[in-house]
Amino acid sequence: MNQLITPPQDIINELTTIQAFLEVTMSEDATEAVVRGNDLAVYMARTGKLIADAKIHREQKLRSSMIQEYKKLIEFPASVAVKYTDTLVENETYLLTWATRLNAACTHQLDWCRTIISKAKAEMSAFNG
């Protein structure tokens, strides 16, 4: 296996850490928004990598499962075969979905940080103007 690909258990561990971070409610303090935004940018990049890694794990499992299950699958209609193969990779699909959703959550929270920072700049401008 490619050494750059994160093993599934490590993906779970990282996603758990990122999930916990994303579940913390941020205040409307601009300084906190800057710090959190920096962390979010790192997590966005990392979840992007984890998405790619999870896809590889899913494809590898699907490929090996398909080879083993091929004889069974040709007996089914195509739609049933597709549903069946999806069940063979449900854990890998779960990791892929989770990483994708956390990546999106990072994006949305980073947008919120920008909003807080913009608000603070506008308030400072009005105060000094």
Side-chain angles (χ1 to χ4, degrees):
M1 176 181 278
N2 185 334
Q3 293 182 359
L4 297 176
I5 308 303
T6 310
Q9 188 56 53
D10 292 347
I11 293 174
I12 292 169
N13 294 342
E14 285 192 63
L15 292 179
T16 300
T17 299
I18 296 167
Q19 179 79 43
F21 175 82
L22 292 172
E23 289 177 354
V24 172
T25 302
M26 187 183 95
S27 73
E28 291 192 22
D29 178 63
T31 303
E32 181 185 349
V34 170
V35 171
R36 187 170 182 85
N38 289 333
D39 291 341
L40 285 164
V42 171
Y43 283 144
M44 273 181 66
R46 188 60 190 154
T47 54
K49 170 72 165 70
L50 295 176
I51 289 167
D53 294 349
K55 280 183 181 180
I56 286 177
H57 290 300
R58 185 179 185 282
E59 294 303 315
Q60 288 174 342
K61 173 81 179 275
L62 186 58
R63 191 171 35 254
S64 69
S65 296
M66 291 294 290
I67 292 168
Q68 294 171 5
E69 301 292 327
Y70 181 73
K71 289 180 183 178
K72 292 180 196 174
L73 292 174
I74 59 174
E75 298 171 13
F76 296 117
S79 61
V80 174
V82 168
K83 293 281 187 194
Y84 177 71
T85 56
D86 285 345
T87 67
L88 299 174
V89 292
E90 67 184 353
N91 290 335
E92 292 77 12
T93 300
Y94 174 79
L95 285 182
L96 177 56
T97 302
W98 189 13
T100 301
R101 296 312 313 145
L102 290 183
N103 184 271
C106 287
T107 301
H108 298 306
Q109 287 195 17
L110 193 53
D111 288 343
W112 176 247
C113 289
R114 283 189 200 106
T115 300
I116 296 300
I117 294 165
S118 293
K119 177 185 171 202
K121 284 181 181 178
E123 288 171 351
M124 207 178 342
S125 222
F127 180 73
N128 291 331

